Amino acid sequence: PPFGTKVEVAQSIADKYELGRMGNKAPEVLFIEAVYEFLKPGGKAGMVLPDGILSNPNMEQTRIWILKHFKILASVDLPIESFLPQVGVQASLLFIQKKTETEMLVPYEQEEYDIFMAIIESVGKDRRGVPIYKRDDDGAELLFEDSKEWIVQLENGREQVKQRRVRVKRLDDDLPEVAIAYQQFKKKHL
């Protein structure tokens, strides 16, 4: 959704949304309801939202609306560096599933299910967008074993795959580890 600037949707457009009629004309809030309308019952979506929607006391009604209409699959907090240097907004990833008619019959306060939650501390770059690599406890960059492959043309016209071991740096990025943790979480909770 569009966020990071002070943009307000015209009242005539906001009135088309339940959340807009509740007094919130921020595009990132109305976007949540638009996603709801696009999904089939049981359909899933992931979105990037400013942290204020998930933590600001003034946004409680929006969070309740989300809980009434969606099952929360996962919430992942992102560091401020995620969108820098272009946009400096604290954001989260929210993964949701549109409730079916039967699920809507259960009051959200009485629902019991597990939600995957994680905090990303590093996204492999600093605030200026400069890559950050994994380091040891003393601050030295770590090198990881990898292999490099290439194809060579032999004199007889055949091709041969050559390979050699190399040592490479890896970005200090928590996202791949969180994705693996989420897959493990799903296996346990399905």
Side-chain angles (χ1 to χ4, degrees):
F3 64 84
T5 59
K6 300 287 183 205
V7 175
E8 211 171 86
V9 174
Q11 189 63 49
S12 61
I13 295 172
D15 286 342
K16 297 177 182 179
Y17 295 89
E18 182 180 347
L19 287 166
R21 291 188 300 275
M22 291 167 51
N24 198 322
K25 297 190 290 186
E28 62 268 24
V29 172
L30 301 179
F31 180 82
I32 297 166
E33 190 170 339
V35 167
Y36 176 80
E37 294 300 326
F38 281 119
L39 289 174
K40 295 185 221 177
K44 297 175 185 177
M47 62 181 82
V48 179
L49 294 175
D51 270 356
I53 291 177
L54 303 178
S55 62
N56 186 328
N58 296 335
M59 300 299 289
E60 182 179 13
Q61 290 297 58
T62 300
R63 288 190 296 277
I64 289 171
W65 190 94
I66 291 169
L67 291 170
K68 285 180 178 179
H69 293 81
F70 295 105
K71 182 177 177 183
I72 308 299
L73 303 175
S75 176
V76 179
D77 287 346
L78 298 172
I80 191 85
E81 294 84 7
S82 298
F83 301 106
L84 285 173
Q86 288 80 16
V87 179
V89 170
Q90 191 71 40
S92 292
L93 301 174
L94 188 65
F95 297 92
I96 52 179
Q97 181 173 3
K98 184 175 181 175
K99 290 182 180 178
T100 63
E101 286 185 31
T102 305
E103 290 170 327
M104 293 286 280
L105 297 174
V106 178
Y108 76 93
E109 304 95 322
Q110 295 175 13
E111 290 181 305
E112 287 190 33
Y113 60 89
D114 293 320
I115 299 172
F116 178 84
M117 301 184 96
I119 298 173
I120 303 290
E121 295 187 10
S122 180
V123 289
K125 62 179 182 157
D126 66 13
R127 291 175 174 254
R128 295 177 306 265
V130 176
I132 297 175
Y133 296 97
K134 290 191 180 283
R135 297 179 176 274
D136 65 17
D137 293 337
D138 295 326
E141 285 183 352
L142 295 171
L143 294 174
F144 298 87
E145 290 289 326
D146 203 357
S147 63
K148 186 174 184 174
E149 293 182 349
W150 66 96
I151 298 175
V152 294
Q153 186 97 22
L154 300 176
E155 288 180 16
N156 62 8
R158 300 183 83 186
E159 293 178 345
Q160 182 181 19
V161 176
K162 295 275 190 167
Q163 181 180 20
R164 71 178 163 124
R165 294 200 164 283
V166 293
R167 296 172 54 86
V168 296
K169 299 185 285 187
R170 284 202 188 134
L171 288 176
D172 187 12
D173 184 359
D174 296 339
L175 285 166
E177 294 163 20
V178 169
I180 291 167
Y182 180 65
Q183 291 299 324
Q184 294 168 346
F185 172 87
K186 279 181 24 179
K187 286 180 186 174
K188 284 184 184 176
H189 296 90
L190 286 180

